[in-house]
Amino acid sequence: MVELADVLERLHVVALPMRVRFRGITLREVAVIDGPQGWGEFGAFVEYEPPEAAHWLASAIAAAYRPWPAVQRDRIPINATVPAVPAEAVPDVLARFPGARTAKVKVAEPGQTLADDVARVEAVRASVPTVRVDANGGWTVDQAVAAAQALTAGGPLEYLEQPCRTVPELAEVRRRVEVPVAADESIRKADDPLHVVRSGAADVAVLKVAPLGGVQAMLDIAAQIDIPVVVSSALDSAIGIGAGLVAAGCLPTLSHACGLGTGSLFVEDVAAPVTPVDGHLPARAVTPDHARLAALAAPPARRQWWIDRIRACWPLLS
C-alpha cells in the first residue's frame, strides 16, 4: 500500500525551459517521484482537473513503486516532432532528430492558416520521407477534408492524427478521405479509451503512458486493439520518455515510429540528453541527475501547487 506521505517525501518539482512554444507553453512543469522501484513522473497539464489528472498520478506511482515489465526489443524508432514553426525554421528543428525517417508535424495551430501548414509540411517533406500531421482536434470535418487534400498535394501522409474532436467526426473524416486517421485525444481523454476503435473511427491508435495510468495499463489497452499502435509522449521529461520507451519495447509488434523524441524540445532536462542513433532510442527507464533536479527546481510556491494537486487527486486513485 503506497502512502501519500511517502510520495510527498520523495517528490521533486521541476520547471523545464523549452526551445519553442509547444501546446501554448514555453516552460514545462512536472513533478517526479524518487520511488523504491524507480522514478515516476506526474506531469498532467496544469489545466487538467483532478479526475483527469489522477490517471497521470497513477502512472507516476506505478513507475515509482512497481517493477517494470520486461521489454521485447531494445531500441525504438522515433519520429521527429515539428511544432507549428515557420517553414524556414523546419531545418533547425529536424537537425535535433538525427536519423529520423518519420516526422510528425503540428498543424491547425490557432492564429495560423492552412497555407502555413502546407508550407511547413512541404519543408519537412524535403528532408524526411514519411510525414504525419497532428491537428489536436483543431478542425471541423469539412476543414479536415480540405486540409487532407491540400497537405497531400505534394506527397502522401502517413496519417492525420486527431483531425477533429469527437469520435463521430473522426469516423466521418475517415469515410471522406483516403489518408489514414489516427486517434489520440479520443483515446487518452475518453471515459472508454476503446470506444474510438470499436466505432471504426481510426486506423491507428496513439497511446500515451501517463494519461492511460501507466505502462501496464497502456499495454492492457493495446492488447485489446486490433489496429496499429504508436506510443507517444505527453511532453514528458526524460523520466516520462523512458516510461514510454519501455512501453513501446514491451509491445508484441511495433510497425510505426513512436513519438518519443520530444526531449529535444527542452533546453534543459532532468537527465543528460540521449542522441538518437539511426533514428532510434534505447528502450530503458531513465534515472535523473540530482544536480539537474536541483538546478531546475521549481519555486516553492509552484512546488506547493503540485503538492496540493497530488492531495486533490489522491482520493480518486483506484
Side-chain angles (χ1 to χ4, degrees), residues 55-303:
H55 296 286
W56 300 59
L57 180 57
S59 176
I61 291 170
Y65 289 88
R66 298 171 199 154
W68 294 102
V71 299
Q72 301 190 36
R73 61 186 60 79
D74 59 6
R75 65 187 203 131
I76 307 300
I78 63 162
N79 64 249
T81 298
V82 180
V85 297
E88 58 268 23
V90 163
D92 288 340
V93 173
L94 293 178
R96 297 196 286 271
F97 299 89
R101 306 291 292 167
T102 300
K104 180 170 82 169
V105 184
K106 289 291 183 178
V107 293
E109 181 81 358
Q112 295 189 3
T113 67
L114 179 56
D116 295 325
D117 294 339
V118 170
R120 187 181 312 112
V121 166
E122 289 305 312
V124 172
R125 192 174 273 133
S127 300
V128 180
T130 301
V131 180
R132 55 181 68 153
V133 299
D134 182 7
N136 289 117
W139 288 323
T140 65
V141 170
D142 287 343
Q143 287 172 333
V145 172
Q149 294 172 343
L151 293 169
T152 55
L157 290 176
E158 186 181 28
Y159 56 70
L160 298 172
E161 182 173 330
Q162 200 69 41
C164 305
R165 292 181 58 190
T166 71
V167 172
E169 287 174 321
L170 292 186
E172 185 176 349
V173 171
R174 190 169 179 246
R175 286 192 297 269
R176 292 176 57 183
V177 304
E178 295 184 2
V179 182
V181 171
D184 174 9
E185 285 89 344
S186 290
I187 295 174
R188 65 180 170 89
K189 296 176 76 71
D191 292 334
D192 176 5
L194 297 175
H195 173 61
V196 67
V197 178
R198 295 193 189 103
S199 300
D203 301 283
V204 177
V206 179
L207 302 185
K208 299 181 177 180
V209 168
L212 295 175
V215 170
Q216 190 58 57
M218 193 216 82
L219 293 173
D220 291 344
I221 291 170
Q224 302 175 65
I225 290 176
D226 60 358
I227 59 177
V229 166
V230 171
V231 182
S232 191
S233 79
L235 200 55
D236 305 316
S237 79
I239 294 170
I241 292 291
L245 290 165
V246 169
C250 291
L251 290 170
T253 60
L254 187 65
S255 56
H256 291 68
C258 289
L260 296 169
T262 52
S264 67
L265 297 175
F266 297 124
V267 177
E268 297 289 347
D269 205 339
V270 296
V274 178
T275 302
V277 176
D278 192 28
H280 291 70
L281 286 174
R284 62 170 182 253
V286 170
T287 299
D289 182 286
H290 282 274
R292 288 172 177 262
L293 289 174
L296 295 167
R302 294 305 301 164
R303 173 181 170 82

Side-chain angles (χ1 to χ4, degrees), residues 8-26:
L8 297 181
E9 186 175 333
R10 298 172 178 272
L11 193 71
H12 301 258
V13 178
V14 294
L16 309 179
M18 302 181 64
R19 297 182 188 277
V20 295
R21 182 174 296 275
F22 195 84
R23 288 191 91 261
I25 61 174
T26 55

